[in-house]
Every structure is written in structure tokens, then in C-alpha cells.
Amino acid sequence: MERDSQLKLYGHVADRLKEAHAKVRALQVPESVRMALTRKLLVVTAAAKHDLPDAARRLDRLMKDLDEGRFPEGD
């Protein structure tokens, strides 16, 4: 039973990661901001390999920031 919920969460995170990558690609922001966002997405992807629930939480926060127009400072 728990495996089924884990698979659903994995599918949800995978779908949301695809959505997040598409949003980042479509943003009209400086390249340094796009790179910072891409690094955040890579961190979430790496976290998903070890702690899927934490990765889902991180991704939800990142998506909320994107939706609300809060972007990291460029280097």
C-alpha cells in the first residue's frame, strides 16, 4: 500500500518538475536568474532520489515563488 502512494508521489513530482522547467524556460528574466532557478530545480531533482517527500515540499515552494514572481538574485 505504501509503495502505491510512493509511486503516486513520484509521478506527481515528475510532472511538477516538467512543469517547473517549462515555466523557467518561458520566463523573460536575465540569464543569471534563469541559471539560479535551474540550479534550484537540479537540487530538487537530486533530493527526489533520497527524500521524495522533502523534494515535493521544496518543489511546491519553488512553484509558489515562480507563480508569485519571486525570483532569486542573479550572480
Side-chain angles (χ1 to χ4, degrees), residues 17-75:
L17 276 169
K18 281 199 253 183
E19 180 184 344
H21 277 281
K23 279 187 177 195
V24 168
R25 275 194 308 274
L27 290 173
Q28 299 295 318
V29 294
E31 188 61 26
S32 60
V33 173
R34 186 180 323 283
M35 288 175 58
L37 289 167
T38 300
R39 281 192 297 272
K40 286 181 175 261
L41 288 170
L42 291 173
V43 167
V44 171
T45 301
K49 295 176 184 178
H50 306 287
D51 188 348
L52 193 55
D54 180 54
R57 285 187 295 274
R58 288 175 182 229
L59 184 55
D60 286 342
R61 282 193 304 268
L62 178 58
M63 292 296 282
K64 183 177 181 189
D65 287 347
L66 289 175
D67 290 343
E68 294 176 0
R70 290 192 306 260
F71 307 123
E73 296 289 323
D75 293 337

